[in-house]
Each structure stands twice: as C-alpha cells, then as structure tokens.
Amino acid sequence: MSLREVLTPFTAWKHVLDAPVTIPDPIGREAAERYRGFHQNDMETCIGCGTCEAICQNGAIDMVPVEGQVTEKGDSGLRPMIDYGRCCWCALCVDVCMTGSLTMSNEYTWVDTDPDAFRFIPGLEEPWKDKEAGYRREGGRELSGTKRSHMGELAPALRGDNFSEICAGFTREEAILEADRCVECGLCVATCPAHMSIPDYIAAVRDQDYDRGLQLLYETNPFSEVCGRICTHKCETSCAALHEGDPIAIRWLKRHIIDNVPMERRLELVGGAKPANGHRVAIVGAGPGGLTAAYDLAREGCAVTVFEALAAPGGMMRYGIPEYRLPYDALDRDVAVIQAMGVEIRCNMRVGRDIALDDLKRDHDAVILAIGLQMGRGTRIPGSEGPGVEKAVDLLRRITAGEDVPVPERVVVIGGGNVAFDIARSMARLQKATHGTVGVTLTALEDRAHFLADAEELIEGAEEGVEIIDKRGPQEVMRDASGAVTGLRSWAVTSIFDDQGRFAPAYDQADERVHEGAMVIEAIGQMADVSLLGAELTEALDWNRGRIAIDAGFRTSEPWLFAVGDAVKGPDVINAVADGHRVAQSVMERVSLQEGIS
Amino acid sequence: MLSFQPDRSQYPQPGPDGRLEVDLETGKYLKLWQGPNHPGITGNMSVELTVCGDEVVEGKTHVGYLHRGFEKLMERRTFIQVFPIVCRVCVPEPDFNEYCYAAAVEELAGIEVPEMATWMRTLILEMGRFNSYMMFLGGISGSLGLGLVGQWMTYVRDLMLDRFEELTGARIYHMFILPGGVRGHLPEGFAARMEEVLQTAEKYLADVDRVMFSNSVFRLRTEGVGVIDPALFERFGVTGPNARAGGVVKDVRKDSPYLVYDQLDFIPASGKDSDIFTRVKVRRADIDNSIGLIRQILEKMPKSGPVMARLPNVLHWKIPRGETYIKGECSRGEYGYYMVTDGSGYPRRINVRGPSYTHAMALLEHLIPGTNISDVAALMVSLHTYPPEIER
Ligand SMILES: Cc1cc2nc3c(=O)[nH]c(=O)nc-3n(C[C@H](O)[C@H](O)[C@H](O)COP(=O)(O)OP(=O)(O)OC[C@H]3O[C@@H](n4cnc5c(N)ncnc54)[C@H](O)[C@@H]3O)c2cc1C
C-alpha cells in the first residue's frame, strides 16, 4: 500500500471542468436511420393478406376493416391494427410483408393520455406516416421465394405431331418446394368461384398427406383432376406471392394431389352417397355444370339421370379442350367418381330429338338445363358462308370424335382467345402429322399484349409453328372461281372499342393483307342451342339478353326448371362447378319443400 | 487484514442434515435480506443472510422474482417466432441468446450462413461483451461505494449503444442475429464512428485504472477476499473470467472456436489469486481484448456479400428431428443453448445455460459464510451475476 495508491484516485477531479456528456433534452433526438420505431403502412399497397398477423408472436396485430378500404379481388379489404401494449418491435411483420407496404419509421416517442390510442391502424393519420427514415427489410429477403418450382414439360420438338399431354406435373420434390412458398393468406379462396380450400390442400402437399388433400379437393370440386390441368386459375391472379414474384402454382399443386392418389383410394376416400330419398332429377347435358349438380344431388340420395347428346360425357371438357391439355383418361376418372355416386349418364340422347323435355318434366321432380354453348358464332363477312369455312367448336368436336376433318396445308384462324389457340394448335398437329409441315395463321383484333388467350398459349403456339398476327380485322373470305377458299382478306385494326367502351373496331383500310389458306376457321365465340325448349316453353320463360333468365339460385321462371353453366353464365369449368353446387342446393330446397307439402 | 475477527467457536454447528442450526431466539443471530431491492444486488434476486455481528454465517440465494418461463414460451412458438424473445433471457448481454439460438436452428435445419454474417455476428458479440463489462465495472465499483466509475461506464456504454442502434436498429434488444444470418450490412462510415467510441472508451478506462486498480481502498477490500478455490471450479461449473482468475485458462473462443474467432488474434486474460481483485483485473484485461477484437473484425471482415441465407418459408418451417448444444464465451463464461427438435414446426425443448445459474446460486452460497456483511455485495458482483439468465 503506497502513498501513490492513496493519491492516484484523486486524479478523477480533472473531469470536474468537463462539459456534461448527458443530452439535456432527449425528446426530439433523432433515432438511427434503420431504427425500428413506430409502424407505417401504405394502405394502397397493402393487400390485407394478414401475413403480418400470422407471424406476430405477441398477437399484437389484428386484421380489421378500415373505412375506405374495399374487399376486392386480391385484397381482403382488411388492414393491420397494432397494439403497442403487446408489440416488441421485432419487425418480423415488416420482414414478411408480401407487398412491402408495412414498414417502421424511426420515430419512437409518443405521448397520449388515452391508453387506447396505442392500439392503432398504421397508415391512417399518425404523424410519422410519411417519414422516410426507419426500418425497411433489406433486399433479397423475400419470404416466399420469388420463383416457381420447376415442372417438366414436353419439348416443342416432341409435341408437334401428336396430342400427348404437354405438362408432366410436379414431382414430389418440386411440389413440396412450391407448396412451401404459400403464406396461407387465403386471398385465393375468395377469388376461386368454387372457394376451394387452397391453403389447406397446399398444406397437405407440404405434409405429404395426399389423402387429406384429396378429401379437401372433393369438398368443393368433383372435377379436380380436370381443373388441376386446365382451370383458368383466377386464384393465381390474386395470390399474395404475386407481389414478390411468381404466384403459387395452385393449379399444378391441385393436379399433383390427384396424380398421387390411385383411383381405388380416391373412390374410398370420397365415400358413398346417402340412402335414396326418392327424388328424381333429370339433367340435360353432361358438361361440368350438369355433372357437378348430378354429383351433389346423387350424394344427397336423389336418383339422377343425365341426358347427353354426344357419345361420351364431359361436354366441352372432352369435345372442346384438346387432348394435349387435358387427356381423356383424366376426365374419365373424374366422371367415374361421379358415376360411382349412382349418377346415370345416358349418352347419345339429345333432348328435343331423342326424348322430349316434357317427358323429363313428367318423370322427374326437377330438371336442370346444362347445355352449354355448342354453336360457334360466325363472322358474317362476305364469303364466310359455304364450304371451307368452319367453326372452331365444330372442328374440335369432330377431332375428339375421331371423325375425318379436312387438313389443308394452310389454314387461317380468326380469333385471339383460348378457343382460337386450341383449334390453331390442334390443326398444326394434324398438319404436321399429315404434311410434315405447319401452316396455320392466327389473326386477332387485339394487339399482342392484350390477347384474350393466356400468355402461355401464345408462347407454346409460336413454338409449335403457329403464325400469330395481331391487330387484324377480317373483311372477306377469298374464294377462287370454283368457290374454293383461298384465304382471308384483313385490315389493320386502329382501335377495338369506341369512346363509350362499346365494341366497334376501326380499321386502317390502306393496310390490307391477304392471309393465304384453303380453310378459314372462325373462333370468335359460341352460343347456346335452345331449340330443345320448344316454342311454348320458350315463350313462357323469362329471358335476359338472349339467355334464359335465372336468379341467384339458378332457378328459371319455371319452378321445375333450373339452368346452369355456360348457357346461362359461364365462362369456364370452375364456374360451372361452383354453379353446379348452387343449382343442386336449389333443387334440394325445392324437392324437400315438395316433400313437406305432400 | 480485516480488523473484525469473530470468535468462530461461537458459531452454530451443522446439524445431522449438514445445515447450520441457527437458533434466532438466542439473540446472537440476525436474519438480513439483501435484495431483491438493494443496491448491492445485481438485478432481481436476493440473498438471505444470517449474520452474527458483522460476519455472515450463512447465505441463502433466492431467485424467482424474474421468472418469465422463456423456455416454455419457446416451445409454443414457431422457429422464427422464437427469435424475437430469446434476447430477453439476458438483458445486459442479449446478443448471446440470439447467436446461440440462431446457430442451433441453423445446425438442425442444415442452413449455411454467409461468411459476411459470421463476421457481423462476431462483431455484435464483442460489442455486447464490451457493454456487459461496462456494466460490470460500474457494478463492482458501486458495490464498494465508488459511484464515479459507474457514471463513466454508463456513458461509455451509451456510446456503444449508439453504435448498436445504428447497426441493428435497436439499443438494448437488438433482434439482429436471426436464423440464417443477420438483418443488415454495416451502415456507411460505421467503422470510423466505432473507432471514436473505442478511443473515448480507452480514455475513460485509463481513468478507471487510476481510480480503481491504483486505489488503496479498492485493493484493501478486494484482495484476498472472496477467494474461490480452483479445486471447486469443476464441481460448481465455474467458467469464464471467474475460472481464468483462478489460473484455469478456459475460453470457448479459443478452446473450440466458433464464428470467426480462429481468424482473430487475442490472448485470453487470466490471473491466479482467484480473489475479487483478480476477477476484476481479468475482466478489465478482457475489455482490452474486446476493443482489439472489434478493431480487428472491422478491418478484416469482407466489405460486401450477402448477410442472409435463403430460409424455407418461415411461416411453416419444420425442422427435422435432432438435438444440439451450441456454446460460446460470453462475458460471464460459457453460454449455451441446448435444443431438441422433433420434426414439427416448434422446438420440442430449449434449455438455456446461463453461467450465472451456477455462479450466483450454489457457488455464492458456498462463498458467503465467513465474509463481512459489507463484502457480500462485492462478492456477488465479482461473480458477474445476471439473474435473468438464471430464470428462463
Ligand atoms: C375450345 C374450348 C376450350 C376451353 N378451354 C377451357 C379451359 O382451358 N379451362 C376452362 O376452365 N374452361 C375452358 N373452356 C370452357 C369450358 O369448357 C366451359 O365453360 C364448360 O365446359 C361449361 O360447362 P357446361 O356444363 O355449362 O357446358 P358444356 O361443357 O358445354 O356441356 C354441355 C353439354 O350439354 C350437351 N347438350 C347440349 N344440348 C343438349 C341437348 N339438347 N340434349 C342433350 N345434351 C345436350 C352438350 O353435348 C354438352 O356435352 C373451354 C371451352 C372451349 C369451347
């Protein structure tokens, strides 16, 4: 113990004259640039997917309705409300935000006498609403993976001359990877017309529980195998993952489940129908609308007979959609499950020709019309009457039926929708098989960016040799002296709609072209053949712009008659399925009501 | 050295169960609660002292004031949801929890962390260690009545918290190291601002050396006091500076290097007297180590590169069945996370090993008898106790 050790500590006195190091007024001290302070939410970018709510480990976030935010496709209309009595500022909510709308400002002082004020909806009127500084997730930290999992496809060179299915479907590994990207927000469920339990069946894929997946599919859709291949998948347009990259491949995951459950197991899982209830229902048309209704009613115990004009059931799923997109055996399996419920399908029975509608009415408690749109619309341009001009749906039907169709070396297709591509690509295959070369020209009013057909149709069509020409309006089918078709004369389109948004194409007549071809195929829309109704019923029924009028329950103005599907609403299989369920419900209400009365 | 020399023959003798038989009725003994509200207690725990005159004859440690059930809470959270709560297990040096948890998850889930992130993690851990020691120096000096050092260290710690704030976005609970990596890169100009802090720290630490280590009072009250016999280290699970002060040079950073410690130069500080003074000295030297390490890291670390690995979708992240123990050298010794996963989306079991658990409960009880009442605070602080990590 030296004297030094007694004296040295006193050196601390030298700090007496130092300026104080404390901040006199800490209020207003700006926090660091990336400080995790109070939340901000860009209300317009937010889609209300609720991923923030799902990840919050404190349960501090509730999704709530907010004035001015509407529920619409891809937006739940809800917005996060945050309780600062629970929040721990971990920012996981910001990290997982699918749109990047939720952020944190670097603001950290907030004084209020009302404790409830600290449960607030960011994005409304907080003072730090537009503050730039604060926590944003660093780039490259998307939650769900921005790229779709790979799926095998038939190379263009291998598909030119045959109708083999193009898509191979996911392998298990691919499916699990894809399923992993789902954030289970359920925006897709709201968009799907049949409200399939999409997040749940995707979870089943993740869990590799295909039995559960299949049961979930069948809860809402007896055409899951079909829809797993050709559904218009509007669900994918409202997927939250879309905001970070590719939407989840919902359609392919559905298909993956079905592909992984053998048929016998499928029948077992779907189970049988309820005991017969004594009611008899007739359905005209074995498309997805009619058969879905048939499935539901049969499960309820009704005796259901479906009358189908053509040789096999399926409607446009068989006679419209080409086999390279939907193999017939896939459709057959869906139909087989429906038949296993006891549904009787009587093919080659055109109602109005082979049996009268009145007979159906007499022998049944209710009749459902599900006749679809079987007649192709014509362009009515000069030269379009007569041989060499075909309707797309007629040709497709004949191709499916195995009939001989003429296959000239060059054909011209009018139309830019999916049906146009279906026939163009089908003809291309037939040409390739017959002549070894493809000579299909597809002309459409729209410009490339606005084609009605799906983007992949354009890509795959081009790959298969279809020449796609946009912005052309058909003017005349050219014929030679003998009357044989030689091509299509067209003008360039300058606009399609008028100022009021009505369909009124305008042309640049100076820009005229002739597209060579010995056949012109019109693919510009379909209409219903309602001749089966007969004059009296046609007169008696209410109509709505050329279609049989129906109410929300798909009841016509005649109490015994219901109508569903393309003929009254459309426009695709999944809508036909959804509406098939609804019409079945209406029919059940009617027959049980009758039961009550008798 | 101490003036007070009790008559030990007067002391209560152990009964058949080995515990002292204290008859309070005799008036010879007094029960004295040190804590839970007491300036001589670090955090929320207390020591129930039985004193005879000035001398403590028995000390019982009481914990439980801070129990939040973290380990159980973790079992009820998904793997990503656990990440924001682990830091709360230890308030003054929270980052160790973040690192151990993240590393355990990464090992069991088979995730490779980008190199940049491992450097950032090491940086964060050394910054955390530095700050933990700042609190320690303030605490040990305060427990001996030297309040000044605490004020200085609080200031220096605050400067480091500023660096934490700009780097991690928070001052205390940083929530920056998460499974897969870290949340961001170094801000522009960070190294220069850090250097300023380190230089300020060095100035203040030089002052601390003068007022503490060259202070006769401090030396009188700490030298030869609270000696832990190195033979007890094994039995009481003594690690870290507490062990190093007794000549057992254990440092996980050296013995089984993790993160980038094998690429950094430092010599673990050690001593041999195993008393309070040496323990404080060892920690003081370790601060210099941390300062040096921070400088080395900022110099050697890569200048760019990813900081996060691609994680599976964290909303339904399942980790295969497995178990692991991840350990590291925190300012108090070996810190560890034992984790068991069962293939589900939740950890089946997580056990946190905080060094205070062994140091401040059993060991403290063992060291207390025979000390002076006024030394108990310094004794406890000298073990560097953080009650929150005792109670998980
Ligand atoms: C070429 C083409 C491609 C398509 N591609 C897709 C696609 O990829 N994805 C998609 O979701 N949708 C697609 N669609 C639309 C989809 O096929 C229809 O929306 C759907 O089939 C409509 O179902 P529906 O039950 O109303 O009618 P339909 O499927 O048309 O079935 C009606 C059935 O009723 C029968 N019928 C009609 N009149 C009588 C009568 N008097 N007596 C007995 N039977 C009768 C018909 O023969 C037919 O089988 C496509 C349509 C076409 C034409």
Side-chain angles (χ1 to χ4, degrees):
Chain A
M1 209 69 44
S2 63
L3 183 65
R4 231 185 99 234
E5 285 185 340
V6 176
L7 296 178
T8 316
F10 289 97
T11 56
W13 282 97
K14 72 174 189 222
H15 286 292
V16 156
L17 295 177
D18 288 356
V21 294
T22 45
I23 304 171
D25 178 16
I27 304 273
R29 170 194 174 271
E30 178 88 3
E33 180 70 21
R34 59 171 81 146
Y35 189 78
R36 294 190 304 271
F38 301 141
H39 290 78
Q40 302 158 314
N41 191 17
D42 180 347
M43 289 295 204
E44 296 317 309
T45 317
C46 177
I47 53 170
C49 67
T51 311
C52 49
E53 183 190 37
I55 197 119
C56 181
Q57 56 97 10
N58 294 303
I61 300 182
D62 279 320
M63 299 302 292
V64 296
V66 172
E67 224 186 280
Q69 298 301 327
V70 279
T71 308
E72 54 190 11
K73 183 170 149 283
D75 182 352
S76 71
L78 304 176
R79 294 293 179 263
M81 177 173 78
I82 306 185
D83 183 351
Y84 275 173
R86 287 172 162 266
C87 177
C88 73
W89 282 272
C90 68
L92 278 180
C93 52
V94 175
D95 281 358
V96 304
C97 178
M98 296 302 285
T99 62
S101 70
L102 195 66
T103 53
M104 278 166 148
S105 73
N106 69 345
E107 197 59 46
Y108 63 99
T109 47
W110 180 3
V111 181
D112 207 304
T113 49
D114 175 15
D116 285 339
F118 299 100
R119 210 175 58 217
F120 80 115
I121 298 166
L124 286 185
E125 55 208 17
E126 67 278 5
W128 53 86
K129 196 170 167 236
D130 299 315
K131 213 160 169 204
E132 287 286 321
Y135 180 76
R136 316 268 181 278
R137 65 180 173 171
E138 262 194 17
R141 274 212 281 131
E142 301 88 359
L143 172 68
S144 67
T146 50
K147 284 263 161 291
R148 253 185 199 191
S149 180
H150 165 269
M151 183 182 66
E153 276 181 31
L154 217 53
L158 295 176
R159 59 189 196 226
D161 62 353
N162 60 71
F163 283 75
S164 305
E165 187 174 21
I166 295 177
C167 297
F170 282 135
T171 63
R172 286 196 176 210
E173 291 69 30
E174 290 164 348
I176 293 172
L177 274 179
E178 185 63 14
D180 186 56
R181 298 172 55 223
C182 172
V183 298
E184 305 186 301
C185 64
L187 288 173
C188 49
V189 181
T191 305
C192 173
H195 305 309
M196 297 193 73
S197 348
I198 297 164
D200 295 342
Y201 71 67
I202 291 183
V205 173
R206 275 198 304 274
D207 299 344
Q208 293 288 284
D209 187 348
Y210 294 110
D211 282 2
R212 175 159 61 95
L214 186 112
Q215 282 170 319
L216 285 166
L217 295 182
Y218 264 87
E219 275 178 10
T220 47
N221 189 350
F223 280 103
S224 288
E225 181 149 4
V226 167
C227 286
R229 288 175 159 79
I230 56 82
C231 186
T232 47
H233 56 90
K234 291 288 179 291
C235 49
E236 294 177 20
T237 62
S238 62
C239 178
L242 198 61
H243 298 267
E244 299 203 316
D246 297 339
I248 311 292
I250 300 174
R251 176 173 57 170
W252 302 137
L253 287 171
K254 175 165 42 243
R255 166 181 172 171
H256 177 72
I257 295 175
I258 288 270
D259 285 355
N260 276 280
V261 182
M263 190 60 187
E264 313 80 70
R265 183 76 188 132
R266 198 196 307 188
L267 287 166
E268 240 170 76
L269 289 166
V270 172
K274 288 187 192 162
N277 59 18
H279 299 298
R280 298 171 55 80
V281 180
I283 296 175
V284 186
L291 288 181
T292 301
Y295 173 79
D296 283 5
L297 290 166
R299 277 180 84 84
E300 285 299 323
C302 299
V304 183
T305 313
V306 181
F307 296 87
E308 167 56 53
L310 298 176
M316 281 301 178
M317 299 184 292
R318 185 183 304 273
Y319 292 100
I321 302 172
E323 206 185 350
Y324 59 84
R325 289 205 286 131
L326 176 61
Y328 301 132
D329 56 343
L331 171 61
D332 289 340
R333 282 188 290 270
D334 277 350
V335 174
V337 176
I338 294 168
Q339 285 172 311
M341 288 310 124
V343 172
E344 187 196 351
I345 304 177
R346 297 179 63 186
C347 291
N348 294 315
M349 285 289 280
R350 178 173 293 279
V351 177
R353 184 189 69 195
D354 303 319
I355 186 169
L357 193 53
D358 276 342
D359 294 344
L360 301 189
K361 177 186 174 188
R362 185 192 61 223
D363 297 338
H364 299 85
D365 300 310
V367 177
I368 302 173
L369 291 181
I371 55 174
L373 306 171
Q374 309 307 319
M375 301 195 304
R377 285 186 194 279
T379 52
R380 299 211 199 133
I381 52 174
S384 63
E385 300 295 326
V389 177
E390 303 277 354
K391 305 277 184 326
V393 282
D394 293 339
L395 269 185
L396 286 165
R397 178 162 53 238
R398 284 159 65 190
I399 293 173
T400 299
E403 291 172 22
D404 270 343
V405 293
V407 185
E409 282 188 43
R410 294 208 62 87
V411 303
V412 182
V413 177
I414 304 174
N418 284 324
V419 175
F421 276 90
D422 282 344
I423 190 59
R425 296 173 64 188
S426 294
M427 289 309 287
R429 282 168 166 74
L430 294 177
Q431 284 175 331
K432 185 102 187 188
T434 323
H435 311 294
T437 53
V438 175
V440 180
T441 305
L442 183 145
T443 66
L445 295 176
E446 294 81 10
D447 63 89
R448 244 162 208 284
H450 295 93
F451 263 45
L452 297 179
D454 298 337
E456 60 255 33
E457 290 290 339
L458 273 87
I459 297 168
E460 290 173 6
E463 283 171 355
E464 290 159 12
V466 175
E467 182 193 12
I468 302 163
I469 306 182
D470 65 348
K471 296 199 281 189
R472 301 305 300 180
Q475 302 306 322
E476 184 191 355
V477 175
M478 315 285 283
R479 293 177 184 272
D480 64 12
S482 69
V485 171
T486 58
L488 176 75
R489 184 169 59 83
S490 76
W491 285 340
V493 175
T494 52
S495 70
I496 301 177
F497 300 99
D498 66 12
D499 300 344
Q500 268 95 55
R502 278 181 305 239
F503 180 75
Y507 305 110
D508 173 6
Q509 304 191 1
D511 182 349
E512 184 173 277
R513 279 172 74 175
V514 174
H515 314 286
E516 217 183 292
M519 180 196 270
V520 170
I521 305 170
E522 295 168 313
I524 59 160
Q526 293 87 246
M527 51 196 181
D529 176 1
V530 290
S531 58
L532 79 164
L533 297 174
E536 207 180 312
L537 188 55
T538 306
E539 184 62 28
L541 280 170
D542 285 352
W543 292 80
N544 176 14
R545 288 205 226 146
R547 288 174 169 188
I548 300 172
I550 44 156
D551 66 6
F554 295 84
R555 302 174 194 88
T556 68
S557 55
E558 292 293 312
W560 57 276
L561 187 64
F562 299 77
V564 72
D566 274 6
V568 290
K569 187 167 155 266
D572 51 17
V573 173
I574 191 68
N575 270 288
V577 167
D579 298 342
H581 290 310
R582 272 172 223 139
V583 77
Q585 219 173 2
S586 300
V587 169
M588 277 314 290
E589 279 163 23
R590 173 177 155 83
V591 294
S592 19
L593 211 65
Q594 281 177 329
E595 204 168 348
I597 296 165
S598 58
Chain B
M1 214 184 289
L2 295 175
S3 52
F4 172 75
Q5 288 301 331
D7 174 5
R8 292 215 157 77
S9 65
Q10 304 268 315
Y11 275 24
Q13 298 305 310
D17 62 352
R19 293 192 62 89
L20 298 183
E21 287 177 343
V22 175
D23 184 359
L24 291 175
E25 295 298 308
T26 61
K28 274 207 304 200
Y29 308 104
L30 191 69
K31 285 263 186 202
L32 193 66
W33 281 78
Q34 181 152 326
N37 290 319
H38 189 283
I41 278 281
T42 49
N44 311 43
M45 71 177 274
S46 65
V47 190
E48 178 191 351
L49 303 174
T50 306
V51 299
C52 175
D54 266 6
E55 175 146 350
V56 184
V57 296
E58 192 187 22
K60 274 185 67 187
T61 50
H62 291 272
V63 295
Y65 302 101
L66 201 55
H67 188 67
R68 298 141 298 170
F70 275 126
E71 289 177 358
K72 208 70 194 163
L73 290 176
M74 292 177 200
E75 290 169 22
R76 298 288 186 277
R77 277 161 172 74
T78 62
F79 288 102
I80 198 72
Q81 285 179 328
V82 170
F83 137 76
I85 68 171
V86 290
C87 50
R88 285 149 232 274
V89 170
C90 176
V91 196
E93 198 181 3
D95 309 283
F96 249 92
N97 296 280
E98 295 184 11
Y99 161 65
C100 290
Y101 175 70
V105 168
E106 285 149 8
E107 185 184 315
L108 294 174
I111 291 169
E112 189 151 342
V113 179
E115 201 207 339
M116 180 77 172
T118 58
W119 283 89
M120 299 274 282
R121 286 178 173 188
T122 320
L123 173 67
I124 298 267
L125 292 185
E126 286 308 321
M127 286 165 67
R129 181 189 321 277
F130 175 90
N131 262 4
S132 172
Y133 282 142
M134 291 300 107
M135 285 188 95
F136 169 79
L137 281 184
I140 191 71
S141 57
S143 65
L144 294 166
L146 194 62
L148 181 62
V149 173
Q151 289 174 17
W152 288 344
M153 295 299 97
T154 304
Y155 172 57
V156 176
R157 174 171 177 266
D158 219 55
L159 296 178
M160 190 58 94
L161 291 185
D162 288 345
R163 301 291 75 78
F164 265 119
E165 181 183 327
E166 65 165 318
L167 174 57
T168 69
R171 294 179 74 82
I172 305 295
Y173 293 139
H174 309 124
M175 297 180 272
F176 189 71
I177 301 175
L178 74 172
V182 296
R183 268 188 150 150
H185 289 83
L186 290 186
E188 199 73 32
F190 180 83
R193 287 188 295 278
M194 175 61 93
E195 183 54 36
E196 263 175 52
V197 173
L198 297 181
Q199 284 177 14
T200 311
E202 280 169 332
K203 258 184 19 224
Y204 275 93
L205 286 166
D207 285 341
V208 170
D209 290 343
R210 278 189 284 272
V211 304
M212 229 160 112
F213 297 104
S214 310
N215 181 333
S216 50
V217 179
F218 183 75
R219 296 189 62 161
L220 272 175
R221 294 203 49 192
T222 55
E223 281 175 337
V225 180
V227 176
I228 316 171
D229 180 356
L232 297 179
F233 287 174
E234 196 84 333
R235 202 173 117 211
F236 285 92
V238 178
T239 56
N242 288 343
R244 276 185 261 137
V248 177
V249 190
K250 286 203 276 194
D251 189 324
V252 188
R253 290 175 292 179
K254 275 275 178 237
D255 305 339
S256 36
Y258 51 101
L259 293 172
V260 298
Y261 282 110
D262 55 353
Q263 300 171 55
L264 301 171
D265 285 334
F266 71 103
I267 299 161
S270 62
K272 56 179 196 315
D273 294 344
S274 209
D275 56 0
I276 296 183
F277 186 83
T278 316
R279 288 201 284 277
V280 181
K281 258 305 219 208
V282 164
R283 292 192 174 98
R284 171 65 190 87
D286 217 19
I287 295 176
D288 288 342
N289 265 339
S290 275
I291 292 176
L293 286 170
I294 291 173
R295 286 193 174 122
Q296 281 183 53
I297 293 164
L298 288 173
E299 197 193 302
K300 291 185 184 169
M301 73 190 288
K303 297 295 165 265
S304 61
V307 291
M308 262 310 272
R310 213 347 355 121
L311 295 183
N313 187 338
V314 294
L315 285 178
H316 27 67
W317 186 6
K318 292 185 177 159
I319 295 185
R321 195 180 274 274
E323 65 178 308
T324 186
Y325 177 69
I326 299 288
K327 63 180 177 182
E329 181 81 10
C330 76
S331 64
R332 282 127 15 256
E334 179 177 324
Y335 207 90
Y337 264 57
Y338 170 65
M339 181 152 114
V340 183
T341 49
D342 60 3
S344 74
Y346 301 85
R348 175 67 194 88
R349 178 78 174 94
I350 291 178
N351 183 271
V352 183
R353 186 217 190 264
S356 301
Y357 186 83
T358 51
H359 294 165
M361 286 170 69
L363 179 63
L364 184 60
E365 282 188 6
H366 185 83
L367 295 178
I368 279 178
T371 54
N372 190 292
I373 299 177
S374 59
D375 292 335
V376 173
L379 175 59
M380 178 180 178
V381 175
S382 80
L383 300 174
H384 205 172
T385 309
Y386 287 159
E389 70 186 23
I390 301 175
E391 303 181 38
R392 300 102 29 192

